[in-house]
Amino acid sequence: QVQLVESGGGLVQAGGSLRLSCAASGRIFSINAMRWYRQVPGKQRELVAAATSGGNTNYADSVKGRFTISRDNAKNTVYLQMNSLKPEDTAVYYCNADVFAGDYDPINYWGRGTLVTVSS
């Protein structure tokens, strides 16, 4: 079994910054893609940013130029640096990862989420 634990959420004023972390632990041989999603009550969960093990990244248009995803593969950890935050970035942010245990096909896991609130 694998656990993803997010941290770093909180309350910040518009224009401020936060850095989210997500650490994966458990039965891990390798991790393929790691992603950050966010969800606002009543809306669908949306992909914010993704990073492959090889270093390729992609971002939602709404966060390009403001957010940066990065990984520490040795620590099985993914980060999301969020700058120039806007009230519309307020959401619960979820970590997501494709984890390969070394035997079966990779399994997709979710963290429990961390709340980011941006005040105007």
Side-chain angles (χ1 to χ4, degrees), residues 61-97:
D61 288 342
S62 59
V63 306
K64 281 181 182 176
R66 300 188 298 121
F67 291 10
T68 302
I69 188 170
S70 61
R71 291 176 59 164
D72 185 333
N73 292 328
K75 296 182 178 179
N76 292 326
T77 300
V78 63
Y79 305 96
L80 186 67
Q81 178 67 44
M82 305 185 295
N83 299 328
S84 303
L85 282 161
K86 305 175 181 180
E88 51 263 43
D89 294 317
T90 295
V92 177
Y93 284 71
Y94 296 90
C95 179
N96 176 271

Short mmCIF file of all heavy atoms in Angstrom, two decimals, residues 61-97:
data_model
loop_
_atom_site.label_atom_id
_atom_site.label_comp_id
_atom_site.label_asym_id
_atom_site.label_seq_id
_atom_site.Cartn_x
_atom_site.Cartn_y
_atom_site.Cartn_z
N ASP A 61 -3.73 26.28 -17.97
CA ASP A 61 -3.52 27.65 -18.48
C ASP A 61 -3.68 28.68 -17.37
O ASP A 61 -2.99 29.70 -17.36
CB ASP A 61 -4.50 27.94 -19.61
CG ASP A 61 -4.15 27.20 -20.89
OD1 ASP A 61 -3.01 26.73 -21.02
OD2 ASP A 61 -5.04 27.07 -21.76
N SER A 62 -4.56 28.41 -16.43
CA SER A 62 -4.87 29.38 -15.38
C SER A 62 -3.73 29.60 -14.40
O SER A 62 -3.73 30.59 -13.67
CB SER A 62 -6.12 28.94 -14.61
OG SER A 62 -5.92 27.66 -14.03
N VAL A 63 -2.75 28.70 -14.39
CA VAL A 63 -1.65 28.84 -13.43
C VAL A 63 -0.29 29.00 -14.09
O VAL A 63 0.71 29.19 -13.40
CB VAL A 63 -1.60 27.63 -12.45
CG1 VAL A 63 -2.94 27.43 -11.78
CG2 VAL A 63 -1.14 26.37 -13.16
N LYS A 64 -0.25 28.94 -15.40
CA LYS A 64 1.03 29.08 -16.11
C LYS A 64 1.69 30.41 -15.77
O LYS A 64 1.05 31.46 -15.77
CB LYS A 64 0.81 28.98 -17.62
CG LYS A 64 0.66 27.56 -18.13
CD LYS A 64 0.46 27.54 -19.65
CE LYS A 64 0.26 26.11 -20.15
NZ LYS A 64 -0.03 26.07 -21.61
N GLY A 65 2.98 30.34 -15.49
CA GLY A 65 3.73 31.54 -15.14
C GLY A 65 3.65 31.90 -13.67
O GLY A 65 4.40 32.77 -13.21
N ARG A 66 2.76 31.26 -12.93
CA ARG A 66 2.62 31.56 -11.49
C ARG A 66 2.99 30.36 -10.62
O ARG A 66 3.54 30.53 -9.53
CB ARG A 66 1.19 31.98 -11.18
CG ARG A 66 0.72 33.22 -11.91
CD ARG A 66 -0.64 33.71 -11.40
NE ARG A 66 -1.69 32.72 -11.60
CZ ARG A 66 -2.42 32.21 -10.63
NH1 ARG A 66 -2.23 32.58 -9.37
NH2 ARG A 66 -3.38 31.33 -10.90
N PHE A 67 2.67 29.16 -11.08
CA PHE A 67 2.92 27.94 -10.31
C PHE A 67 4.07 27.15 -10.95
O PHE A 67 4.22 27.14 -12.18
CB PHE A 67 1.70 27.04 -10.28
CG PHE A 67 0.53 27.56 -9.49
CD1 PHE A 67 0.48 28.86 -9.00
CD2 PHE A 67 -0.55 26.73 -9.23
CE1 PHE A 67 -0.59 29.32 -8.27
CE2 PHE A 67 -1.64 27.16 -8.51
CZ PHE A 67 -1.66 28.47 -8.03
N THR A 68 4.83 26.47 -10.11
CA THR A 68 5.91 25.62 -10.59
C THR A 68 5.86 24.29 -9.86
O THR A 68 5.87 24.26 -8.62
CB THR A 68 7.28 26.27 -10.35
OG1 THR A 68 7.33 27.54 -11.01
CG2 THR A 68 8.39 25.39 -10.90
N ILE A 69 5.82 23.22 -10.62
CA ILE A 69 5.85 21.88 -10.05
C ILE A 69 7.27 21.34 -10.13
O ILE A 69 7.98 21.57 -11.13
CB ILE A 69 4.85 20.93 -10.75
CG1 ILE A 69 4.75 19.59 -10.01
CG2 ILE A 69 5.23 20.71 -12.22
CD1 ILE A 69 3.62 18.70 -10.52
N SER A 70 7.69 20.66 -9.09
CA SER A 70 9.03 20.07 -9.10
C SER A 70 8.99 18.77 -8.30
O SER A 70 8.07 18.55 -7.50
CB SER A 70 10.06 21.03 -8.51
OG SER A 70 9.75 21.36 -7.17
N ARG A 71 10.00 17.96 -8.49
CA ARG A 71 10.06 16.65 -7.83
C ARG A 71 11.43 16.42 -7.24
O ARG A 71 12.45 16.86 -7.80
CB ARG A 71 9.74 15.52 -8.81
CG ARG A 71 8.34 15.48 -9.29
CD ARG A 71 8.12 14.40 -10.32
NE ARG A 71 8.46 13.06 -9.83
CZ ARG A 71 8.07 11.95 -10.42
NH1 ARG A 71 7.30 12.03 -11.51
NH2 ARG A 71 8.43 10.77 -9.97
N ASP A 72 11.44 15.69 -6.14
CA ASP A 72 12.67 15.13 -5.60
C ASP A 72 12.47 13.62 -5.65
O ASP A 72 11.82 13.04 -4.77
CB ASP A 72 12.91 15.60 -4.16
CG ASP A 72 14.24 15.12 -3.60
OD1 ASP A 72 14.72 14.06 -4.04
OD2 ASP A 72 14.77 15.78 -2.70
N ASN A 73 12.96 13.00 -6.70
CA ASN A 73 12.70 11.57 -6.91
C ASN A 73 13.32 10.71 -5.81
O ASN A 73 12.79 9.65 -5.47
CB ASN A 73 13.20 11.14 -8.28
CG ASN A 73 12.40 11.75 -9.41
OD1 ASN A 73 11.20 12.00 -9.28
ND2 ASN A 73 13.06 12.02 -10.52
N ALA A 74 14.43 11.15 -5.27
CA ALA A 74 15.07 10.39 -4.20
C ALA A 74 14.20 10.35 -2.95
O ALA A 74 14.28 9.39 -2.16
CB ALA A 74 16.43 10.98 -3.88
N LYS A 75 13.39 11.39 -2.75
CA LYS A 75 12.51 11.47 -1.59
C LYS A 75 11.08 11.12 -1.91
O LYS A 75 10.21 11.21 -1.04
CB LYS A 75 12.57 12.87 -0.99
CG LYS A 75 13.93 13.26 -0.44
CD LYS A 75 13.89 14.65 0.18
CE LYS A 75 15.23 15.04 0.78
NZ LYS A 75 15.21 16.41 1.37
N ASN A 76 10.81 10.75 -3.16
CA ASN A 76 9.44 10.44 -3.58
C ASN A 76 8.49 11.59 -3.22
O ASN A 76 7.38 11.36 -2.71
CB ASN A 76 8.95 9.13 -2.96
CG ASN A 76 9.68 7.92 -3.50
OD1 ASN A 76 10.07 7.90 -4.66
ND2 ASN A 76 9.90 6.93 -2.65
N THR A 77 8.92 12.78 -3.48
CA THR A 77 8.18 13.98 -3.08
C THR A 77 7.98 14.90 -4.28
O THR A 77 8.88 15.04 -5.12
CB THR A 77 8.92 14.71 -1.96
OG1 THR A 77 9.05 13.85 -0.83
CG2 THR A 77 8.17 15.97 -1.55
N VAL A 78 6.80 15.49 -4.33
CA VAL A 78 6.50 16.49 -5.35
C VAL A 78 6.11 17.77 -4.65
O VAL A 78 5.51 17.75 -3.57
CB VAL A 78 5.38 16.00 -6.29
CG1 VAL A 78 4.06 15.79 -5.56
CG2 VAL A 78 5.21 16.95 -7.46
N TYR A 79 6.47 18.88 -5.25
CA TYR A 79 6.20 20.20 -4.69
C TYR A 79 5.38 21.02 -5.68
O TYR A 79 5.43 20.80 -6.89
CB TYR A 79 7.51 20.94 -4.40
CG TYR A 79 8.46 20.17 -3.52
CD1 TYR A 79 9.48 19.41 -4.08
CD2 TYR A 79 8.33 20.19 -2.13
CE1 TYR A 79 10.37 18.70 -3.28
CE2 TYR A 79 9.21 19.48 -1.33
CZ TYR A 79 10.22 18.74 -1.91
OH TYR A 79 11.08 18.04 -1.11
N LEU A 80 4.67 21.99 -5.14
CA LEU A 80 3.99 22.97 -5.98
C LEU A 80 4.25 24.34 -5.38
O LEU A 80 3.72 24.66 -4.32
CB LEU A 80 2.49 22.69 -6.06
CG LEU A 80 1.74 23.58 -7.05
CD1 LEU A 80 2.17 23.28 -8.49
CD2 LEU A 80 0.22 23.40 -6.90
N GLN A 81 5.10 25.10 -6.05
CA GLN A 81 5.36 26.47 -5.63
C GLN A 81 4.32 27.36 -6.28
O GLN A 81 4.20 27.39 -7.51
CB GLN A 81 6.76 26.90 -6.05
CG GLN A 81 7.10 28.34 -5.70
CD GLN A 81 7.19 28.57 -4.21
OE1 GLN A 81 7.77 27.77 -3.48
NE2 GLN A 81 6.60 29.68 -3.75
N MET A 82 3.56 28.06 -5.46
CA MET A 82 2.47 28.89 -5.96
C MET A 82 2.76 30.34 -5.63
O MET A 82 2.83 30.71 -4.45
CB MET A 82 1.14 28.45 -5.32
CG MET A 82 0.84 26.97 -5.52
SD MET A 82 -0.79 26.50 -4.90
CE MET A 82 -0.56 26.78 -3.15
N ASN A 83 2.95 31.14 -6.66
CA ASN A 83 3.22 32.57 -6.50
C ASN A 83 2.09 33.39 -7.07
O ASN A 83 1.27 32.87 -7.84
CB ASN A 83 4.54 32.93 -7.20
CG ASN A 83 5.74 32.20 -6.64
OD1 ASN A 83 5.79 31.88 -5.44
ND2 ASN A 83 6.71 31.92 -7.49
N SER A 84 2.07 34.66 -6.72
CA SER A 84 1.04 35.57 -7.22
C SER A 84 -0.36 34.98 -7.08
O SER A 84 -1.14 34.99 -8.02
CB SER A 84 1.32 35.93 -8.69
OG SER A 84 2.60 36.50 -8.84
N LEU A 85 -0.63 34.47 -5.91
CA LEU A 85 -1.90 33.78 -5.70
C LEU A 85 -3.08 34.73 -5.82
O LEU A 85 -3.01 35.91 -5.45
CB LEU A 85 -1.90 33.11 -4.33
CG LEU A 85 -1.10 31.79 -4.29
CD1 LEU A 85 -0.74 31.41 -2.87
CD2 LEU A 85 -1.91 30.68 -4.95
N LYS A 86 -4.17 34.17 -6.34
CA LYS A 86 -5.41 34.92 -6.55
C LYS A 86 -6.52 34.26 -5.74
O LYS A 86 -6.46 33.05 -5.46
CB LYS A 86 -5.78 34.90 -8.03
CG LYS A 86 -4.70 35.41 -8.97
CD LYS A 86 -5.12 35.24 -10.43
CE LYS A 86 -4.05 35.72 -11.38
NZ LYS A 86 -4.45 35.55 -12.80
N PRO A 87 -7.55 35.03 -5.41
CA PRO A 87 -8.68 34.41 -4.69
C PRO A 87 -9.26 33.20 -5.41
O PRO A 87 -9.71 32.24 -4.77
CB PRO A 87 -9.69 35.56 -4.59
CG PRO A 87 -8.84 36.79 -4.58
CD PRO A 87 -7.69 36.47 -5.51
N GLU A 88 -9.24 33.20 -6.73
CA GLU A 88 -9.78 32.07 -7.49
C GLU A 88 -8.91 30.83 -7.41
O GLU A 88 -9.30 29.77 -7.90
CB GLU A 88 -10.02 32.46 -8.95
CG GLU A 88 -8.84 33.10 -9.64
CD GLU A 88 -8.92 34.62 -9.64
OE1 GLU A 88 -9.28 35.20 -8.58
OE2 GLU A 88 -8.61 35.22 -10.69
N ASP A 89 -7.74 30.93 -6.79
CA ASP A 89 -6.92 29.75 -6.54
C ASP A 89 -7.36 29.01 -5.28
O ASP A 89 -6.84 27.92 -5.00
CB ASP A 89 -5.44 30.14 -6.40
CG ASP A 89 -4.84 30.68 -7.67
OD1 ASP A 89 -5.11 30.13 -8.75
OD2 ASP A 89 -4.09 31.70 -7.59
N THR A 90 -8.28 29.58 -4.55
CA THR A 90 -8.78 28.94 -3.34
C THR A 90 -9.43 27.61 -3.68
O THR A 90 -10.31 27.54 -4.55
CB THR A 90 -9.81 29.85 -2.64
OG1 THR A 90 -9.15 31.04 -2.19
CG2 THR A 90 -10.43 29.13 -1.44
N ALA A 91 -8.97 26.55 -3.03
CA ALA A 91 -9.45 25.20 -3.32
C ALA A 91 -8.77 24.22 -2.38
O ALA A 91 -7.82 24.57 -1.67
CB ALA A 91 -9.15 24.81 -4.77
N VAL A 92 -9.25 23.01 -2.40
CA VAL A 92 -8.51 21.91 -1.79
C VAL A 92 -7.58 21.33 -2.86
O VAL A 92 -8.04 21.01 -3.97
CB VAL A 92 -9.44 20.81 -1.25
CG1 VAL A 92 -8.61 19.65 -0.68
CG2 VAL A 92 -10.36 21.37 -0.17
N TYR A 93 -6.32 21.23 -2.55
CA TYR A 93 -5.32 20.75 -3.50
C TYR A 93 -4.98 19.30 -3.15
O TYR A 93 -4.66 18.99 -2.00
CB TYR A 93 -4.08 21.62 -3.45
CG TYR A 93 -4.27 22.94 -4.16
CD1 TYR A 93 -5.10 23.93 -3.62
CD2 TYR A 93 -3.67 23.20 -5.39
CE1 TYR A 93 -5.31 25.12 -4.28
CE2 TYR A 93 -3.87 24.40 -6.05
CZ TYR A 93 -4.70 25.36 -5.49
OH TYR A 93 -4.91 26.54 -6.16
N TYR A 94 -5.04 18.46 -4.17
CA TYR A 94 -4.81 17.03 -4.01
C TYR A 94 -3.57 16.59 -4.78
O TYR A 94 -3.36 17.00 -5.94
CB TYR A 94 -5.99 16.22 -4.52
CG TYR A 94 -7.27 16.44 -3.76
CD1 TYR A 94 -8.18 17.42 -4.15
CD2 TYR A 94 -7.59 15.64 -2.66
CE1 TYR A 94 -9.36 17.62 -3.46
CE2 TYR A 94 -8.77 15.83 -1.97
CZ TYR A 94 -9.65 16.83 -2.37
OH TYR A 94 -10.82 17.01 -1.68
N CYS A 95 -2.80 15.74 -4.15
CA CYS A 95 -1.66 15.11 -4.80
C CYS A 95 -2.13 13.79 -5.43
O CYS A 95 -3.00 13.10 -4.87
CB CYS A 95 -0.59 14.84 -3.75
SG CYS A 95 0.89 14.03 -4.35
N ASN A 96 -1.55 13.47 -6.57
CA ASN A 96 -1.91 12.26 -7.30
C ASN A 96 -0.64 11.67 -7.92
O ASN A 96 0.21 12.42 -8.42
CB ASN A 96 -2.93 12.61 -8.39
CG ASN A 96 -3.28 11.45 -9.26
OD1 ASN A 96 -2.65 11.19 -10.28
ND2 ASN A 96 -4.32 10.72 -8.88
N ALA A 97 -0.52 10.35 -7.89
CA ALA A 97 0.71 9.74 -8.42
C ALA A 97 0.45 8.36 -8.98
O ALA A 97 -0.42 7.63 -8.47
CB ALA A 97 1.76 9.66 -7.32
#
